[in-house]
Amino acid sequence: MNIILETLSSIECANPEKIRSIIRQPMYIIEKEEKIEKKKAYEPIIYYREIRPRKAPRNRHIVKTLAVATILILIIMMGAYFATQKYPQTSSALTSPPTSTYTTQTYTPPTYTPYTFTSQQPASKINITELILYTLNQINSEREKHGLQPLSLFINNTVAQQHAEEMAAHGYLSHWDLKGYKPYMRWGFEGFTWFGISESLGATFVEYGRMLWTRNELLKTIRDHIYNMIYNDAESNWGHRDDLLDPCHNYVAIGIAFSEKTFALVINAIDDYILWYEKPKIINSKLHMSGIIPYRFINKSDIVPINIYVFYDEVPKETSVYELNNVLPSAWSYGETGKPIAGILPKSNIYYKDIKTIYAEKYVTKNTDKGLFFNITIDLKPILDKEGIYTIIILQEDLEQKHPFRKANYCTLTNIVIKYENGTLIYKNTKEP
């Protein structure tokens, strides 16, 4: 007798938005604080700051002049001598306003080369590490309010930092980058395959003039972004809030960069729970991996306790800043549609009815005191039927920690990204932190 499995996506296929929530991809552009008319199509505005010069201080001589004038009025009748005294006129005593390019609405900002500050920046200017730790504390403070475990800082934040620097340098806000890569592609192609990844973004754009950031201004900007992600996220369907308050996450990589026109914040939350014996590795077109999944993520009543799915994207193409800001979607998902194209199962009479079923070459599981041990080998050739990006994830429901705002909570435990082009597999095996 054949047993038919329905994937999470297929069950909810009539409701694409619900599929995204189940697959747990809550990544949306941060809410807009104020909508204003854009001067150029490629100038997105999230937080609008119009920099105005302070009014020129009046010369102190004005005050003295007014005081003298008052006294003269009172004593002018005492004698012709006082009546004939001259004093400076107010119009000549005013200090002329300083010349400023910010005072006119017709000002066109000059061409400039944006700059970013990285962790190599001398601490005497801006300490990026301090900004990252401050962001971490803001996130953990919000998680503590909901009884959630605090996030630990991931030791290698290169991927998050590079994306933040690219956004700040080029003035865009997008989960895609200039190569056309999504978040999981950026991480997977760097060899970070043994945990799941999410992404929340924030940006502040300066429309007029340039911003000379100060430490206090940067801290306030970070604080405002985290607050709005948690409490003012309705425009994003509360995706930022649900991501930052996800019980699945236990680590986070944070990227922060800024130019004279843009502040960029990248938050890549991480689900790192598998106790690995052999982290994901591809040898001769076969994927090998073995480890222990904690029972927190294992439903022993399931026919197949480990859910392994394959998602497909077309080969990414280089993308312009205009496309990043105006054309590409504000939310990303695994694959083109957020729905898997295949599922991995042990050899049996079990199969998926709505997606391709791939039977693993080796599929061994065993209960241990720490969790469910698995040793799996997958031949990738049956999966790679056309050129593109193939992402293999282990997706498990969190049975212990309930999400404060979602009924069901699924955790992404791997991020294995493979590019198949011109008959060649392009990938990067596991990179240690």
Side-chain angles (χ1 to χ4, degrees):
M1 177 180 177
N2 291 338
I3 300 175
I4 303 175
L5 295 183
E6 294 185 349
T7 65
L8 294 171
S9 297
S10 66
I11 294 173
E12 304 294 339
C13 62
N15 190 339
E17 291 301 322
K18 195 169 184 180
I19 293 173
R20 293 193 187 96
S21 66
I22 290 178
I23 300 300
R24 195 179 57 76
Q25 300 308 323
M27 318 308 159
Y28 306 89
I29 289 180
I30 193 168
E31 62 289 337
K32 298 183 179 180
E33 182 178 84
E34 180 180 354
K35 295 182 180 179
I36 66 171
E37 184 180 355
K38 300 180 181 179
K39 286 198 170 186
K40 296 182 181 179
Y42 59 83
E43 290 185 344
I45 301 170
I46 305 303
Y47 291 107
Y48 168 59
R49 301 173 187 273
E50 182 178 0
I51 302 175
R52 302 177 183 272
R54 295 180 177 178
K55 292 183 178 180
R58 293 176 178 270
N59 195 304
R60 293 181 179 179
H61 187 56
I62 301 173
V63 178
K64 295 180 180 180
T65 300
L66 293 176
V68 172
T70 303
I71 294 172
L72 287 175
I73 293 172
L74 295 174
I75 66 173
I76 192 170
M77 298 180 64
M78 295 180 65
Y81 174 77
F82 294 102
T84 59
Q85 297 308 297
K86 295 181 180 180
Y87 55 90
Q89 298 297 311
T90 302
S91 60
S92 62
L94 285 171
T95 302
S96 299
T99 303
S100 173
T101 55
Y102 306 124
T103 57
T104 170
Q105 295 296 323
T106 60
Y107 166 67
T108 302
T111 303
Y112 71 100
T113 302
Y115 57 86
T116 58
F117 296 92
T118 67
S119 55
Q120 284 72 42
Q121 183 78 18
S124 60
K125 293 186 178 180
I126 294 294
N127 190 330
I128 291 295
T129 301
E130 178 192 5
L131 300 181
I132 290 174
L133 292 176
Y134 183 78
T135 305
L136 176 65
N137 289 336
Q138 291 292 305
I139 296 171
N140 282 337
S141 176
E142 296 297 335
R143 291 177 65 87
E144 183 181 6
K145 294 175 184 177
H146 293 83
L148 301 173
Q149 64 175 338
L151 303 181
S152 299
L153 194 64
F154 189 62
I155 193 170
N156 190 331
N157 76 326
T158 303
V159 179
Q161 184 63 29
Q162 287 177 346
H163 190 49
E165 291 180 1
E166 185 178 279
M167 288 199 301
H170 296 275
Y172 74 83
L173 177 63
S174 177
H175 292 291
W176 282 255
D177 59 24
L178 292 172
K179 293 180 181 178
Y181 288 175
K182 296 180 184 178
Y184 57 92
M185 297 178 188
R186 289 191 289 273
W187 282 85
F189 285 138
E190 287 297 322
F192 296 104
T193 60
W194 72 93
F195 52 74
I197 191 75
S198 73
E199 183 172 273
S200 288
L201 300 178
T204 298
F205 294 90
V206 180
E207 187 184 28
Y208 300 110
R210 305 181 183 184
M211 187 67 170
L212 299 178
W213 298 96
T214 65
R215 174 182 176 276
N216 289 340
E217 183 70 26
L218 289 168
L219 295 179
K220 181 181 183 303
T221 300
I222 292 169
R223 189 166 59 250
D224 289 346
H225 275 293
I226 299 302
Y227 180 89
N228 284 308
M229 286 181 178
I230 300 294
Y231 299 103
N232 297 323
D233 202 37
E235 280 193 20
S236 297
N237 198 26
W238 301 100
H240 294 101
R241 178 199 66 184
D242 290 354
D243 181 37
L244 297 184
L245 301 182
D246 193 331
C248 290
H249 304 328
N250 54 357
Y251 288 89
V252 64
I254 299 170
I256 295 176
F258 47 93
S259 67
E260 296 168 322
K261 302 288 288 185
T262 307
F263 169 88
L265 171 64
V266 176
I267 302 171
N268 289 133
I270 292 170
D271 306 346
D272 184 9
Y273 289 98
I274 297 179
L275 307 174
W276 291 100
Y277 287 90
E278 182 182 21
K279 291 182 178 179
K281 183 180 297 184
I282 298 175
I283 302 174
N284 297 327
S285 300
K286 294 182 179 181
L287 171 63
H288 305 269
M289 56 182 176
S290 64
I292 294 177
I293 300 177
Y295 286 124
R296 169 181 171 180
F297 306 101
I298 298 296
N299 189 338
K300 296 180 180 180
S301 64
D302 287 347
I303 299 173
V304 180
I306 303 177
N307 305 306
I308 307 176
Y309 295 115
V310 182
F311 293 82
Y312 171 81
D313 292 272
E314 293 183 352
V315 176
K317 299 178 181 179
E318 291 189 359
T319 310
S320 68
V321 171
Y322 176 82
E323 291 173 309
L324 291 171
N325 282 329
N326 299 279
V327 178
L328 290 173
S330 60
W332 65 274
S333 64
Y334 280 101
E336 299 289 341
T337 63
K339 180 179 178 180
I341 62 166
I344 310 298
L345 295 174
K347 293 178 181 179
S348 61
N349 58 353
I350 305 172
Y351 65 96
Y352 290 102
K353 73 171 186 179
D354 57 336
I355 59 176
K356 181 187 292 187
T357 300
I358 303 295
Y359 294 107
E361 187 173 289
K362 179 194 291 186
Y363 199 113
V364 177
T365 61
K366 181 181 179 181
N367 289 316
T368 72
D369 57 344
K370 295 182 179 179
L372 183 68
F373 168 81
F374 68 91
N375 187 356
I376 297 174
T377 299
I378 303 168
D379 187 353
L380 298 174
K381 292 179 182 177
I383 300 175
L384 311 174
D385 55 2
K386 59 181 177 179
E387 294 187 345
I389 304 293
Y390 294 84
T391 304
I392 302 173
I393 68 172
I394 294 178
L395 186 70
Q396 301 293 117
E397 184 177 5
D398 189 343
L399 302 176
E400 293 183 5
Q401 297 291 322
K402 299 301 181 183
H403 196 290
F405 298 101
R406 289 203 301 255
K407 292 183 179 180
N409 198 42
Y410 287 84
C411 307
T412 307
L413 303 183
T414 63
N415 183 54
I416 304 160
V417 181
I418 305 160
K419 184 177 182 181
Y420 182 60
E421 192 172 24
N422 298 323
T424 303
L425 290 179
I426 303 171
Y427 56 89
K428 190 167 185 178
N429 279 327
T430 294
K431 177 178 182 179
E432 298 297 335

